[in-house]
Amino acid sequence: MALVLSGRKFARVVRSSLLERVNALSGPPPGLTVIMVGDDPASRVYVGAKEKACKKVGFNSRIVSLPEETTEGQILDLINELNSDDSVHGILVQLPLPAHVSVDRIASAVLPEKDVDGFHPVNVGRLWRGEDGLFPCTPSGIVGLLHHHQIPLSGKNALIVGRSNIVGKPMAALLLRENCTVSIAHSRTSNLIEQCRRADLLVVAVGRAEMVNADWVKPGAVVVDVGMNRNSEGKLVGDVDYNSVSSVCSAITPVPGGVGPLTIAFLLENTLLARTRLLT
Ligand code: GUN
């Protein structure tokens, strides 16, 4: 039976380490400001969870909720204010944004040193160049989880299914930094199943309920499921058919309790890192 890579348990380990490091700080606690525009119900849940997590580890957090009709210029003005506010170490603009707002312009307005999402082009460049920076939370959490379980990465064939700027592409860059041989597959990939079957490490982030079954997976592979979908019965499931795949792989992340809890834990890590770098 496959090893279950529990993100829930690892996130607890990360949070307790963060709490220790925050208690040992002299000076102000890390400060995170989250900007939310509009009233997307899922975003409201995520933003609430971020605030709760900040409290648990002694961070200052502030949520700025703006109405749907807020202009891009007003959001940019607020970001500029936060960029020059010394008590704010991390700035996160919750996605999705309303259609009249450019995600690219907003991401580029956040000071790279406060960009705890790792979406600013400077941080994207630093990631691909192998330099220090702030990198996207979900892929950083996945690498942290794999390290925590001492899963060897160097020289392994990694396939990432999904090419988003939030998960797929930064995941590829981080695994390249771990000396994996990295491929990215996507909706136009031909022979997707064959490609998947070649992977020692398969990371799936496509948003299609239980798409990957045991036939897609090399025996003994490590499988990371980034998906969060509702199946036809309304149950929360990943992009991977857990019951089928766990009978052939060596290790797998469950849904829920796998990758999900890592995103917030690594947002906190990034905020502490930003605070440390800004004050030294
Ligand atoms: N919405 C869904 N995931 C994310 C994320 O990682 N960062 C931000 N800012 N918004 C999101």
Side-chain angles (χ1 to χ4, degrees), residues 52-260:
K52 202 169 131 197
C54 279
K55 283 217 173 80
K56 274 194 194 161
V57 295
F59 287 18
N60 281 336
S61 71
R62 184 177 153 218
I63 297 173
V64 183
S65 263
L66 301 171
E68 176 85 19
E69 59 276 13
T70 308
T71 64
E72 189 176 292
Q74 287 169 321
I75 304 170
L76 293 172
D77 287 346
L78 171 61
I79 291 172
N80 284 332
E81 252 174 60
L82 297 170
N83 279 343
S84 47
D85 181 339
D86 288 343
S87 70
V88 175
H89 308 113
I91 301 168
L92 180 147
V93 183
Q94 186 66 29
L95 303 179
L97 284 166
H100 64 271
V101 180
S102 154
V103 175
D104 287 348
R105 276 195 291 272
I106 295 296
S108 300
V110 175
L111 198 67
E113 288 70 25
K114 297 190 179 190
D115 168 35
V116 287
D117 256 329
F119 293 167
H120 191 288
V122 163
N123 281 318
V124 177
R126 287 176 178 157
L127 172 61
W128 283 98
R129 287 171 58 90
E131 298 169 1
D132 282 344
L134 290 167
F135 306 141
C137 307
T138 302
S140 299
I142 291 168
V143 172
L145 180 70
L146 297 171
H147 282 167
H148 178 68
H149 287 278
Q150 291 165 0
I151 289 174
L153 296 174
S154 183
K156 301 294 178 187
N157 277 330
L159 177 72
I160 299 137
V161 189
R163 56 176 159 181
S164 71
N165 288 324
I166 299 184
V167 180
K169 287 185 224 166
M171 186 80 256
L174 284 173
L175 290 175
L176 196 56
R177 290 170 70 129
E178 297 294 324
N179 301 314
C180 286
T181 303
V182 178
S183 310
I184 304 183
H186 45 78
S187 53
R188 308 280 173 88
T189 297
S190 38
N191 306 323
L192 178 59
I193 299 178
E194 259 171 56
Q195 301 284 348
C196 288
R197 285 182 63 87
R198 275 201 274 273
D200 303 308
L201 170 62
L202 182 62
V203 180
V204 192
V206 289
R208 289 190 53 190
E210 297 176 318
M211 179 182 80
V212 173
N213 63 42
D215 292 341
W216 296 43
V217 176
K218 177 176 174 174
V222 173
V223 179
V224 176
D225 187 353
V226 189
M228 280 274 234
N229 317 284
R230 297 266 168 203
N231 70 6
S232 51
E233 294 145 30
K235 193 177 149 218
L236 196 61
V237 295
D239 294 346
V240 173
D241 180 347
Y242 184 88
N243 288 334
S244 151
V245 170
S246 59
S247 65
V248 295
C249 67
S250 63
I252 183 167
T253 60
V255 176
V259 170

